Amino acid sequence: MTQLLSILFRRVPIGWLQLTHSRPRLVAAVAGIAFANLLVFLQLGVVASLSAVVNLTYSPFRADIMISPPSATLFTGALVARRIMYMALAEPGVSDATPLYLGSREWKQPDGISKMLFVFGMAPEASAFASEPIAAQMNRLSLPDRVLLDSQVRNLALNWDATAIDQASMEKPLTFEISGHTVAAVGSFKLGSGFGSDGALFVSDQTFQRLVKERTTGTASHILVDVKPGEDPAVIARRMEARLSPEHVQVRTMAQAIADDLVYTNTQVPMGIIFGIGVFVAILVGLVIVYQVLAADVAAHLKEYATFKAMGFPHRFLLGIVFEEAMIIALIGFLPGVILGAGVYQVMGAATDLPLGMTAGRAAAVLLGTFVACSISGALATVRLRRADPAELFG
């Protein structure tokens, strides 16, 4: 390692030699960085899973424009009158529109375990607004009480598994009861669990009304709109919003609706705020640990640094030595941190069925952040050297 660093720095790796001279201090520094990295990975993983869940809830359907009640999220807010769909269809540049019905229902399984399922409702003839593979199965929902069941429902207690659900068809339906109403799964799709549900159902608008009896087909959760080829959804959305302003609805492109939901989830929802603050706290912990290690190292080698200053070496040379130590600590501490983080992701993902996993982008971001944090700590640790006089250091 010494030879490699000598080639890299084109000088004797003084920082590395000082770190390895005191092995307990090096081990403490590496352990501190690894622990701080693990904390950051945990917080970032949960924040990322929040965003992934938001994106997943939009995945069963598609549209160019979404007309919604004044709410930042998909499943909250008031309802939208169905007549607004006809007002949207009258807008030049609009090719089609359909109501989307959203709700949730408890699925009490025979063993007594209850699952909360999101329920997506849409007219079977509106398959153009459903995402694949749902669109290819929409015709099966024309019959009453037929549903598409999420094959990724969390911890299914029935004698079903994802393979059995994926094989559900019109010829071999899977029958079960939800909210006191018997339905038959004649197909499947993949969504998975989130922070507010254990899975999902996709049903027709008529079956939705049977399951969610307090709702009527005259009030939708959202109106999905497609524009004609060549039209700009953003331009049409602004025009429609101006015309529909008396109706107290918001008109956004689908991309903007998802972006607004993500911002709200990460900045307004308590869980997003808590874990966002957790990232900051973890970074602060890492800064403090590295600063203490480097400051102690500088204090332990004041006479050596004084010798360098007395020989005429500039302050940037001394700063380079401390930065060398900071970068070595950052890199060595990152490796166990990312390995532990990936392992914890697997454990948490298996236990919660949430979309948790290590990504190259997240690992690179944490590595870069570790280098920055260690550099800041190193700069702070050399403040005393900048102000000190060599004669005083020998005194």
Side-chain angles (χ1 to χ4, degrees):
M1 177 62 78
T2 303
Q3 292 180 348
L4 178 62
L5 292 175
S6 297
I7 297 172
L8 181 63
F9 296 141
R10 296 182 179 179
R11 61 168 173 79
V12 175
I14 301 172
W16 168 251
L17 294 175
Q18 288 189 166
L19 286 173
T20 54
H21 179 71
S22 177
R23 296 296 176 87
R25 186 179 297 150
L26 175 60
V27 172
V30 170
I33 291 298
F35 176 70
N37 278 332
L38 178 59
L39 289 179
V40 171
F41 277 124
L42 289 179
Q43 309 301 323
L44 289 179
V46 175
V47 170
S49 69
L50 278 172
S51 299
V53 167
V54 169
N55 282 304
L56 281 173
T57 55
Y58 285 84
S59 64
F61 58 91
R62 55 146 307 277
D64 295 325
I65 295 172
M66 175 182 281
I67 303 175
S68 309
S71 172
T73 65
L74 186 65
F75 280 88
T76 60
L79 301 176
V80 180
R82 187 185 178 93
R83 58 184 174 80
I84 292 178
M85 179 185 71
Y86 300 105
M87 298 173 68
L89 287 169
E91 180 71 31
V94 170
S95 63
D96 199 4
T98 193
L100 173 68
Y101 303 92
L102 301 174
S104 60
R105 276 295 175 265
E106 183 182 24
W107 178 16
K108 192 169 185 179
Q109 300 179 64
D111 59 358
I113 297 177
S114 295
K115 303 292 181 184
M116 186 59 65
L117 303 182
F118 283 150
V119 184
F120 297 82
M122 187 185 295
E125 60 271 17
S127 59
F129 289 94
S131 58
E132 292 292 343
I134 294 175
Q137 306 175 78
M138 287 284 284
N139 61 318
R140 305 180 188 180
L141 304 181
S142 300
L143 295 175
D145 302 325
R146 300 300 190 269
V147 305
L148 304 180
L149 178 61
D150 180 6
S151 63
Q152 304 299 309
V153 173
R154 175 164 39 204
N155 298 330
L156 268 176
L158 299 176
N159 293 323
W160 300 352
D161 55 20
T163 302
I165 295 175
D166 285 334
Q167 292 175 350
S169 64
M170 295 292 288
E171 294 74 24
K172 295 182 178 180
L174 297 175
T175 303
F176 60 98
E177 188 176 289
I178 181 168
S179 295
H181 197 83
T182 301
V183 296
V186 293
S188 68
F189 65 105
K190 293 182 179 180
L191 182 64
S193 59
F195 290 93
S197 74
D198 298 299
L201 291 176
F202 201 99
V203 303
S204 70
D205 51 348
Q206 298 300 317
T207 299
F208 181 90
Q209 189 175 352
R210 291 187 178 92
L211 292 176
V212 189
K213 296 180 180 179
E214 64 272 20
R215 294 280 298 279
T216 67
T217 54
T219 53
S221 301
H222 306 272
I223 302 295
L224 305 180
V225 179
D226 268 350
V227 302
K228 295 177 181 178
E231 297 285 352
D232 186 348
V235 172
I236 294 179
R238 288 194 296 268
R239 197 164 62 211
M240 289 175 60
E241 185 164 37
R243 189 164 63 86
L244 295 175
S245 57
E247 303 294 336
H248 303 291
V249 295
Q250 55 182 344
V251 184
R252 300 167 293 175
T253 63
M254 181 63 75
Q256 186 60 52
I258 296 174
D260 290 346
D261 202 332
L262 288 171
V263 170
Y264 180 84
T265 299
N266 287 304
T267 61
Q268 302 296 322
V269 174
M271 184 175 293
I273 296 173
I274 290 171
F275 284 100
I277 294 174
V279 173
F280 172 78
V281 171
I283 293 173
L284 185 61
V285 168
L287 278 171
V288 172
I289 291 173
V290 177
Y291 171 75
Q292 289 179 333
V293 170
L294 294 179
D297 183 80
V298 169
H301 297 89
L302 276 178
K303 291 186 178 181
E304 288 84 349
Y305 285 116
T307 301
F308 282 124
K309 293 192 74 172
M311 293 172 63
F313 284 92
H315 181 73
R316 65 175 178 273
F317 177 78
L318 306 181
L319 190 62
I321 294 175
V322 180
F323 276 174
E324 176 189 328
E325 295 185 31
M327 294 302 100
I328 292 173
I329 292 173
L331 182 58
I332 298 178
F334 172 79
L335 295 177
V338 71
I339 293 172
L340 289 172
V344 172
Y345 282 164
Q346 289 187 346
V347 173
M348 292 175 62
T352 64
D353 286 338
L354 291 174
L356 285 164
M358 183 64 69
T359 64
R362 189 180 309 149
V366 172
L367 177 59
L368 178 61
T370 303
F371 281 143
V372 171
C374 289
S375 298
I376 294 173
S377 298
L380 294 174
T382 60
V383 170
R384 183 180 177 185
L385 288 178
R386 180 185 293 276
R387 297 175 180 175
D389 182 86
E392 294 177 355
L393 292 176
F394 279 112

